[in-house]
Amino acid sequence: MKKRRFAGMLAVLTLAGAVLTGCSATSSTTVQTESSSPQGEKTSQVVNIYSDRHYETDKLLLEEFSKETGIKVNVIEGKSDELIERLAREGKDSQADLLVTADVGRLHRAKEQGLLQSAESDTLSKNVPENLKDKDNQWYGLTVRARVLVYAKDRVDPSQLSTYEDLTDPKWKKKILVRSSDNIYNQSLLASFIAVNGEEKAKAWAKGIVDNMARTPKGSDRDQAKAVVAGEGDVAIMNTYYYGLLLNSSDSEEVKVAKQLGVFFPNQSTTGTHINVSGAGVTASAKNKENAIKLVEFLSSEKAQKQFAEANFEYPANPAVEPSDLLKSWGTFKPQTINLTKLGENNNNAVQIFSQVGWK
Ligand code: FE
């Protein structure tokens, strides 16, 4: 038993060390190191975050939070799935108070593993719309992304596009690019269709997309966009922020790719475009629950939302805050209105359907 725990401690330090060397600009509001004792963490003036975000903007916002509240913020950065695995491994002993990660599919997985707890707050009820948070208040959406269509401007007239369902029409045979089904964004997309249209129609959709795929799924969302420009297909399914990232890339080839693509919001006269969030949940092991809630309140506030969302070209979750000019330039859109908790609840079903229809 003792040996196991020691191995766990080592992992903590290794990961923290990796972050320290991997990031420039560490400051008092950044990374937890071995100097923070478990006793020290119990004081009311600290909050420890596990986060998959690594933006300079976040550091500034967290510094501002610390200045306002006197609460020191320690961040351990890592990949989403690794952070969740780590929380599970550490159990009650975890020093983390807050998990910040992308996609409801993941947040829900953390909830189902008992790694999160309910956090009630009038401020959060006001700042985060009902459909963008967990029905048991175990996580709150902080930024919103849409899973849209991007198309080759030289080959596709946007009037040919309409709905996700239309992508299964034979006219798109060998024209559709989309990544693999082990990707959480696709799982959440199909989970939303199960919620909106029922299981049968969701399955027919997945089968229809497989029939129209330009190639066996491979690569990231951005790779699908690049494949459209390379002529491998005409339409790709991708998250909005990846288009923003391409357009603002330091790699001029990526900027070129973005400029040859149009963005289309599907299902505008029907069920709405699929949306998802990145968000935060107070951990089950939180020793500083109140501070964690205060931090989520701060990040969901009008003051912080614009910057927090803009760091990754996303939409603010707080409806009082306007999206950036770039996002506004893509037009306004009607989103799906389902409670996003359903994306998590239908995840297993979605994964099963993907395997039944042979979506690699
Ligand atoms: Fe992503």
Side-chain angles (χ1 to χ4, degrees):
M1 270 312 266
K2 258 187 180 162
K3 227 173 188 179
R4 274 180 83 101
R5 188 177 288 177
F6 185 64
M9 288 281 287
L10 265 184
V12 171
L13 299 181
T14 308
L15 187 60
V19 171
L20 270 172
T21 50
C23 283
S24 56
T26 49
S27 71
S28 63
T29 57
T30 55
V31 180
Q32 179 182 353
T33 67
E34 65 268 38
S35 65
S36 48
S37 70
Q39 286 304 323
E41 299 308 314
K42 279 185 186 135
T43 68
S44 59
Q45 295 314 312
V46 68
V47 59
N48 300 318
I49 318 178
Y50 282 6
S51 173
D52 70 351
R53 291 172 60 101
H54 44 268
Y55 306 111
E56 200 51 41
T57 317
D58 286 28
K59 293 204 178 91
L60 298 174
L61 280 171
L62 295 177
E63 276 170 16
E64 197 169 323
F65 171 76
S66 289
K67 231 184 275 165
E68 266 183 27
T69 61
I71 299 166
K72 184 180 179 224
V73 185
N74 297 313
V75 185
I76 288 185
E77 295 175 355
K79 290 193 178 142
S80 320
D81 294 329
E82 287 169 10
L83 292 173
I84 293 171
E85 276 165 31
R86 182 172 164 177
L87 267 182
R89 202 170 58 235
E90 292 171 344
K92 286 198 308 288
D93 297 333
S94 179
Q95 293 297 311
D97 301 306
L98 193 67
L99 172 70
V100 177
T101 189
D103 205 286
V104 171
R106 286 199 191 98
L107 288 161
H108 189 81
R109 201 175 291 157
K111 175 188 175 183
E112 280 197 319
Q113 289 181 45
L115 305 177
L116 304 179
Q117 62 171 302
S118 296
E120 318 284 342
S121 147
D122 290 344
T123 305
L124 287 175
S125 300
K126 184 172 87 46
N127 289 351
V128 182
E130 193 67 23
N131 65 314
L132 301 184
K133 68 180 182 73
D134 175 51
K135 64 172 197 240
D136 302 316
N137 299 315
Q138 293 206 17
W139 51 261
Y140 290 86
L142 292 172
T143 66
V144 177
R145 63 278 299 280
R147 199 147 179 75
V148 295
L149 311 182
V150 295
Y151 58 92
K153 282 200 277 197
D154 62 343
R155 299 192 297 280
V156 177
D157 188 304
S159 68
Q160 295 170 264
L161 297 166
S162 57
T163 60
Y164 296 107
E165 290 82 356
D166 177 67
L167 300 180
T168 66
D169 188 281
K171 76 182 180 213
W172 297 112
K173 189 99 191 156
K174 288 197 168 32
K175 303 286 187 204
I176 304 302
L177 285 149
V178 60
R179 70 199 291 179
S180 69
S181 63
D182 61 13
N183 170 256
I184 193 85
Y185 307 146
N186 281 341
Q187 292 170 9
S188 290
L189 178 68
L190 188 57
S192 79
F193 295 160
I194 295 171
V196 171
N197 302 321
E199 215 169 303
E200 280 310 302
K201 282 186 180 161
K203 188 172 175 178
W205 179 81
K207 169 85 175 63
I209 293 293
V210 171
D211 290 344
N212 281 351
M213 281 179 183
R215 62 179 187 187
T216 304
K218 61 174 179 183
S220 63
D221 270 17
R222 271 176 283 198
D223 291 332
Q224 312 312 312
K226 289 173 188 174
V228 169
V229 169
E232 281 196 68
D234 286 347
V235 181
I237 299 175
M238 83 188 281
N239 284 354
T240 36
Y241 58 87
Y242 286 118
Y243 184 74
L245 286 166
L246 285 174
L247 207 54
N248 290 277
S249 173
S250 55
D251 177 348
S252 60
E253 287 305 310
E254 291 199 331
V255 180
K256 246 193 239 168
V257 164
K259 289 195 164 155
Q260 293 173 73
L261 297 169
V263 177
F264 186 85
F265 292 93
N267 295 55
Q268 290 307 285
S269 50
T270 62
T271 49
T273 297
H274 172 64
I275 54 165
N276 204 319
V277 293
S278 77
V282 177
T283 65
S285 64
K287 319 281 187 291
N288 306 288
K289 181 176 180 178
E290 276 179 28
N291 292 351
I293 294 175
K294 272 186 204 156
L295 178 55
V296 185
E297 288 175 346
F298 174 82
L299 292 174
S300 70
S301 69
E302 285 190 42
K303 196 166 131 189
Q305 271 282 289
K306 196 171 174 80
Q307 293 170 65
F308 196 65
E310 256 178 48
N312 190 34
F313 303 100
E314 289 184 88
Y315 297 89
N318 185 330
V321 181
E322 287 208 6
S324 67
D325 289 342
L326 174 68
L327 270 60
K328 278 199 267 185
S329 75
W330 304 339
T332 54
F333 70 98
K334 172 177 128 178
Q336 287 175 338
T337 53
I338 50 169
N339 187 304
L340 294 194
T341 305
K342 293 236 164 64
L343 306 184
E345 290 173 347
N346 291 339
N347 179 276
N348 286 342
N349 243 343
V351 170
Q352 264 178 25
I353 290 176
F354 276 136
S355 120
Q356 285 162 3
V357 303
W359 186 319
K360 295 276 193 283

